C-alpha cells in the first residue's frame, strides 16, 4: 500500500534490515542498496524497485592504492547525489547511523524525513570504545570518505524518527517458530572477533576450550559469515566442538533445530532469535570485560550475561 505522505525510500544493508522492512510492512517505493550480495534477496521482495548506489573504495596498504581509493571516494558521493537528484521522497529509512554514506544521504534535499531503524545490538549499546571508533573514522577520512562527524559513533537522534524493538518498542521482528527437531546441545553462535582484531586467536582458542569443558552437553559452533573457516577450524581443533555449516544464516538454522541453550561472546543473533530464556552472552570468557559491563548495564537487555564457566554450566543445567 502506498504511503499517503508520498514515496518512501529505504537503504537495507543486511538480511536483518530486509526482514525489518517486511515484518513492519514498510513497502518502500525505492530500495537503495550498495552490496551485490543483497541484490538477490531484495529483488525477490522488491522487484523493479532497486537502485544500486555502489560503495566506497577501501584503501590498500600501498601509497598508490591508498591514493587511488581517495580519488575514487571523492568522486563517489557526488555520483550518488546525481543518481538521487531526480527523486523526491517523503521519508527515507536508514539503519546505520555512524557510516559515511548514511550521513551523506541525510544532507541531500530530496530524501525527506529520515527514520533510523534498529540495526540490532549496536543500536542500543556501544560495544567498542570511542577511541577505536574515532581512529577508524580518521582512517576513513584520509581515504576520502565523507568526513562530516566521521569520528562520532552516533548522530543526533533528536533530528530523526527512531524505531526499535526494545526501548521505543515501535518495531517488530518475527522470530523463527520452535522446530520439532531438538538437539540436546549448546549452540555457540559465532562472531568475527578474531577477524575484527577484537580478540587474539590464542585467547579465542582458550575461550572455546573453556566453554567446551564447562558445558554439560555437547557444543556446536555456528560460524558468522565473516569468520575465516580455515582459521576457525584451527581454533576448534582438539576442543570436541562440532563445526556446523552455515549456508543460510542463524535464523534459518534456528527454524530447523531447537537447542537446549544458545550462547555467544556477543551477537545480535541472540536477541533476534527471541529464545531469551535459553540464551546467554559470554563476553567475559573471551576476556571482553568492557562488553560484559555494557551488556549488563543495558536495562532493556532480554538476554542473561555470564562471566565464567561455572555460570555457563549452571545456566545449561537449569534448562536441560
Amino acid at each position: 500500500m502506498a504511503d499517503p505522505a508520498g514515496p518512501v525510500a529505504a537503504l537495507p544493508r543486511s538480511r536483518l534490515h530486509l526482514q525489518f522492512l517486511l515484518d513492519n510492512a514498510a513497502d518502500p517505493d525505492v530500495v537503495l542498496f550498495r552490496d551485490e550480495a543483497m541484490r538477490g534477496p531484495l529483488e525477490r521482495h522488491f522487484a523493479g524497485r532497486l537502485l544500486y548506489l555502489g560503495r566506497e573504495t577501501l584503501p590498500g596498504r600501498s601509497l598508490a592504492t591508498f591514493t587511488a581509493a581517495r580519488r575514487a571516494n571523492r568522486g563517489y558521493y557526488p555520483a550518488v547525489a546525481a543518481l538521487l537528484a531526480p527523486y523526491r521522497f517523503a521519508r527515507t529509512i536508514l539503519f546505520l547511523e555512524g557510516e559515511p554514506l548514511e550521513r551523506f544521504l541525510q544532507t541531500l534535499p530530496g530524501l525527506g524525513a529520515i527514520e533510523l531503524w534498529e540495526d540490532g545490538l549496536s543500536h542500543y549499546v556501544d560495544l567498542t570504545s570511542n577511541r577505536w571508533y574515532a581512529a577508524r573514522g580518521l582512517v576513513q577520512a584520509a581515504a576520502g570518505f565523507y568526513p562530516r562527524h566521521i569520528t562520532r559513533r552516533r548522530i543526533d537522534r533528536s533530528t530523526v524518527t527512531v524505531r526499535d524493538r526494545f526501548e521505543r518498542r515501535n518495531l517488530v521482528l518475527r522470530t523463527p517458530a520452535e522446530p520439532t527437531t531438538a538437539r540436546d546441545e549448546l549452540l555457540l553462535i559465532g562472531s568475527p572477533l578474531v577477524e575484527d582484531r577484537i580478540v587474539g586467536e590464542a585467547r579465542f582458542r582458550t575461550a572455546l576450550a573453556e566453554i567446551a569443558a564447562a558445558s554439560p552437553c555437547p557444543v556446536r559452533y555456528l560460524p558468522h559469515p565473516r569468520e575465516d573457516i580455515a582459521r576457525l577450524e584451527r581454533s576448534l581443533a582438539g576442543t570436541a566442538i562440532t563445526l556446523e555449516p552455515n549456508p543460510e544464516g542463524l535464523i534459518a538454522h534456528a527454524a530447523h533445530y531447537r537447542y537446549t541453550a544458545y550462547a555467544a561472546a556477543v551477537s545480535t543473533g541472540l536477541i533476534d532469535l527471541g529464545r531469551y530464556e535459553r540464551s546467554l552472552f559470554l563476553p567475559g570468557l573471551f576476556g571482553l570485560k568492557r562488553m560484559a559491563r555494557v551488556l549488563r548495564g543495558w536495562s532493556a537487555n532480554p538476554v542473561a550475561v555470564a562471566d565464567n564457566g561455572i555460570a555457563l554450566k549452571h545456566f545449561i543445567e537449569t534448562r536441560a
Side-chain angles (χ1 to χ4, degrees), residues 81-231:
L83 191 64
L84 291 171
Y87 295 92
R88 287 296 179 270
F89 300 112
R91 60 190 177 97
T92 297
I93 300 167
L94 303 177
F95 293 87
L96 303 183
E97 60 184 310
E99 293 301 313
L101 175 60
E102 277 77 357
R103 291 198 170 163
F104 174 72
L105 292 179
Q106 292 177 57
T107 69
L108 299 182
L111 270 67
I114 300 296
E115 293 191 5
L116 177 67
W117 286 25
E118 176 193 336
D119 178 44
L121 195 57
S122 62
H123 174 87
Y124 303 99
V125 293
D126 297 339
L127 294 171
T128 54
S129 72
N130 289 331
R131 285 180 296 178
W132 180 90
Y133 198 88
R136 170 181 176 267
L138 289 173
V139 172
Q140 288 179 322
F145 286 60
Y146 179 67
R148 187 179 182 188
H149 302 319
I150 201 167
T151 60
R152 299 181 188 176
R153 185 191 304 268
R154 307 289 182 189
I155 62 170
D156 180 357
R157 290 188 178 185
S158 69
T159 64
V160 300
T161 298
V162 180
R163 299 184 66 186
D164 60 45
R165 286 175 287 174
F166 298 109
E167 293 180 351
R168 291 160 183 85
R169 299 186 180 184
N170 51 5
L171 276 187
V172 298
L173 184 71
R174 287 201 296 267
T175 56
E178 289 280 8
T180 56
T181 303
R183 286 175 169 175
D184 183 19
E185 299 175 351
L186 167 66
L187 182 67
L188 186 58
I189 299 165
S191 302
L193 300 174
V194 176
E195 286 70 19
D196 289 348
R197 299 182 180 181
I198 296 172
V199 172
E201 187 172 352
R203 185 68 185 84
F204 183 83
R205 190 181 300 117
T206 298
L208 294 180
E210 291 176 354
I211 291 169
S215 176
C217 62
V219 180
R220 191 175 295 266
Y221 193 100
L222 191 72
H224 187 280
R226 289 202 292 111
E227 283 189 280
D228 183 327
I229 298 300
R231 190 277 306 164

Side-chain angles (χ1 to χ4, degrees), residues 67-80:
T67 302
R70 180 181 176 87
R71 186 181 308 113
N73 290 334
R74 285 187 164 179
Y76 170 69
Y77 300 102
V80 168

Side-chain angles (χ1 to χ4, degrees), residues 237-258:
T239 65
I241 296 176
T242 301
L243 179 60
E244 178 78 7
N246 188 20
E248 299 179 293
L250 170 62
I251 300 302
H253 182 79
H256 295 309
Y257 301 103
R258 179 185 188 276

